[in-house]
Amino acid sequence: MRVSRLFTKTSKNAPADEVSKNAQLLIRAGFVYKVMAGVYAYTPLGLRVLENIKRIVREEMNAIQGQELIMTNLQPKELWEVTTRWDDKVVDVWFKTRLKDETEVGLAWSHEEPIMEMMRQYIESYKDLPVSVYQFQTKLRNELRAKSGIMRGREFVMKDMYSLHADAKDLEDYYNKVIEAYKRIYNRLGIGDDTYVTFASGGAFTKFSHEFQTICEAGEDVLYIHRGKNIAVNEEVLDEAIRELGVKKDELEKVKSAEVGNIFNFGTEKSMQMDILITDHQGKRQPLYLASYGIGITRVMGVIVEKFADDKGIVWPESVAPFTVYLAPLGESTDVIAEADDLYKALTTAGVAVLYDDRTVARAGEKFADADLLGIPYRIVISDKTVASKQLELKPRTESHTQLMDRESVIKKLAPTPPRLL
RNA sequence: CGGGGUGUGGCGCAGUUGGCUAGCGCGCCGCGUUUGGGACGCGGAGGUCGAAGGUUCAAGUCCUUUCACCCCGACCA
């Protein structure tokens, strides 16, 4: 992509109505556009990041036999009445509306009931299980107060997966597989080292649910962690969990964190509530077992910005960066332009995502500042100097020194390894 | 939902105790000079001051209502 053609622009001024670091930087750099409080649109730059995050999640979900689908945002009221969750006193984040004929419908804040209802039609016997489905969907939640930029909006993208099983043991095994898949996801997203599987409250049907929490100053949760033992407990359930785990409170370190994933074991509760039964080996009708697994895609994006940004701007991990390289020719000499055009073509052909700053009017400082603000992992400079020496100047976003390399080495270094097939 | 705060060109801001054609920085357009960390000069475009109502000879400025946005708290499968 050429910078001259990208419709978004960077800005030196941060918007006054945003305080959170993630929103300020994402807006200044042109990744998101604020539509209203807690509601953000994603520009081509922002969408590339979201898609990169989704790709990683998708690969890992597929690897554990998740099947991707997509549900709807309009949901029938009756479904939710069965589980008492249509009631605003039970679920206080509903957006509700009506069809022209006055039929009440809800706007998806979750898809648990609708997914189960759909499964009713396909799952009749233990032979149809297990099954695991997931989607990337927009959730609409009428939060009293939006805050923290894209980390807690009224409209956001979530990956939610649901697994159905014939018995508790099968669910348990799969649940543990998902935990491992989630760990791989957070590692690949670059936040693995600071992300903990956390004991949290899970309502009546699970003793504890598991949250995935990433240490992050901008987060809303408080965690007590033991780095050595890899233990983390949400403050909400500290006393119970300490008893359960046999650790002392004063061994634990208190940190702020953001929830980046949450998994629940519903057991047979939802199945019984909704009367979705399967036939077992003996031909008897039995409730099935359900678990759900969420990852806040847009929230993860915000957490990554919060965690890695420096005083110059965003710092994307290579795995989610919208582009791998920021290519900045300096000056207007025809040799420089020709070399840059050529390299742009060569890198693109090699599968490297390049943001090519082809603006001839922009000065060096402007290009460098944009490269930094945008958080592109590598910057390549081409100038009269580099052309003369037949080298390229490469600088990782996180380092202050540049290094001279020849073109072949640069391409070799930056070209992606082929993805594993799933 | 309780408390606090803010709305003035695309963005960030200033506008004295009400007073004359509403300014500044960034950005934008044109011309020229520049060109390794956000250049400079000259010339331009762009605002019914969130909205509605009121007070006044006169309202960005005062009053009322309302909307939006932000922060703290509460809330948060």
Side-chain angles (χ1 to χ4, degrees), chain A residues 178-194:
Chain A
V178 178
I179 290 178
E180 294 310 310
Y182 270 36
K183 288 180 185 169
R184 287 194 295 274
I185 287 169
Y186 297 118
N187 282 332
R188 293 177 66 185
L189 292 172
I191 56 177
D193 288 348
D194 279 340

Side-chain angles (χ1 to χ4, degrees), chain A residues 322-383:
Chain A
F323 295 93
T324 305
V325 180
Y326 195 90
L327 174 59
L330 302 186
E332 291 179 77
S333 98
T334 48
D335 287 350
V336 168
I337 304 290
E339 170 69 17
D341 281 351
D342 205 45
L343 181 64
Y344 177 46
K345 210 175 291 173
L347 282 167
T348 305
T349 304
V352 182
V354 181
L355 187 55
Y356 178 21
D357 195 343
D358 60 339
R359 298 172 299 176
T360 50
V361 289
R363 301 162 69 88
E366 216 170 329
K367 292 185 176 185
F368 296 163
D370 276 349
D372 289 342
L373 176 60
L374 289 164
I376 311 300
Y378 294 96
R379 185 187 81 197
I380 292 176
V381 166
I382 294 177
S383 65

Side-chain angles (χ1 to χ4, degrees), chain A residues 57 60-66 131-134 159-165 170-186 197 210 212 261-264 291-295:
Chain A
V57 173
E60 296 297 342
M61 293 300 95
N62 289 350
I64 53 172
Q65 283 72 55
V131 65
S132 176
V133 296
Y134 73 97
K159 185 283 302 180
D160 44 323
M161 181 160 81
Y162 305 85
S163 72
L164 285 67
H165 307 266
D170 194 52
L171 184 150
E172 185 76 19
D173 290 347
Y174 192 74
Y175 190 93
N176 289 328
K177 273 172 80 175
V178 178
I179 290 178
E180 294 310 310
Y182 270 36
K183 288 180 185 169
R184 287 194 295 274
I185 287 169
Y186 297 118
V197 184
H210 290 90
F212 289 77
N262 201 339
I263 62 181
F264 292 91
S292 78
Y293 318 85
I295 291 181

Side-chain angles (χ1 to χ4, degrees), chain A residues 93-321:
Chain A
V93 293
W94 270 117
F95 282 106
K96 295 175 179 177
T97 186
R98 290 170 188 277
L99 304 183
K100 292 288 188 193
D101 68 2
E102 296 299 306
T103 303
E104 280 189 279
V105 294
L107 274 49
W109 64 276
S110 161
H111 288 84
E112 282 157 6
E113 275 78 345
I115 290 256
M116 282 297 273
E117 183 60 25
M118 181 184 72
M119 286 300 178
R120 181 198 299 282
Q121 193 168 100
Y122 300 103
I123 308 300
E124 298 179 276
S125 138
Y126 73 94
K127 291 179 181 172
D128 298 323
L129 296 175
V131 65
S132 176
V133 296
Y134 73 97
Q135 64 173 344
F136 296 97
Q137 247 288 21
T138 299
K139 307 293 182 196
L140 300 161
R141 293 189 185 176
N142 202 349
E143 300 278 358
L144 236 34
R145 181 186 165 201
K147 57 191 277 194
S148 309
I150 64 168
M151 289 174 65
R152 181 164 168 195
R154 297 198 166 91
E155 179 171 335
F156 57 95
V157 177
M158 187 175 199
K159 185 283 302 180
D160 44 323
M161 181 160 81
Y162 305 85
S163 72
L164 285 67
H165 307 266
D167 60 68
K169 171 73 168 60
D170 194 52
L171 184 150
E172 185 76 19
D173 290 347
Y174 192 74
Y175 190 93
N176 289 328
K177 273 172 80 175
V178 178
I179 290 178
E180 294 310 310
Y182 270 36
K183 288 180 185 169
R184 287 194 295 274
I185 287 169
Y186 297 118
N187 282 332
R188 293 177 66 185
L189 292 172
I191 56 177
D193 288 348
D194 279 340
T195 300
Y196 287 82
V197 184
T198 308
F199 292 88
S201 61
F205 319 124
T206 51
K207 185 163 188 186
F208 299 115
S209 67
H210 290 90
E211 286 177 350
F212 289 77
Q213 294 270 359
T214 303
I215 298 173
C216 175
E217 268 307 303
E220 294 183 38
D221 288 304
V222 174
L223 237 52
Y224 286 81
I225 64 169
H226 191 298
R227 291 180 197 260
K229 292 182 183 166
N230 200 34
I231 287 173
V233 178
N234 195 307
E235 191 176 41
E236 295 166 1
V237 294
L238 185 60
D239 294 338
E240 280 175 87
I242 277 178
R243 238 179 292 125
E244 192 79 12
L245 296 164
V247 291
K248 290 196 191 72
K249 185 175 172 179
D250 55 19
E251 308 179 77
L252 303 175
E253 179 187 346
K254 186 179 178 183
V255 295
K256 289 187 76 177
S257 67
E259 183 186 329
V260 291
N262 201 339
I263 62 181
F264 292 91
N265 181 346
F266 286 93
T268 56
E269 185 63 29
K270 187 74 73 183
S271 169
M272 290 193 289
Q273 277 181 327
M274 295 181 73
D275 200 32
I276 300 173
L277 305 176
I278 53 165
T279 309
D280 68 11
H281 291 75
Q282 277 73 247
K284 288 198 198 116
R285 300 289 277 166
Q286 301 283 0
L288 53 77
Y289 290 77
L290 171 73
S292 78
Y293 318 85
I295 291 181
I297 301 296
T298 42
R299 175 178 284 187
V300 163
M301 179 171 167
V303 168
I304 289 171
V305 174
E306 292 280 346
K307 281 192 75 66
F308 299 123
D310 61 18
D311 58 337
K312 293 196 172 83
I314 298 169
V315 178
W316 295 114
E318 223 175 309
S319 60
V320 302

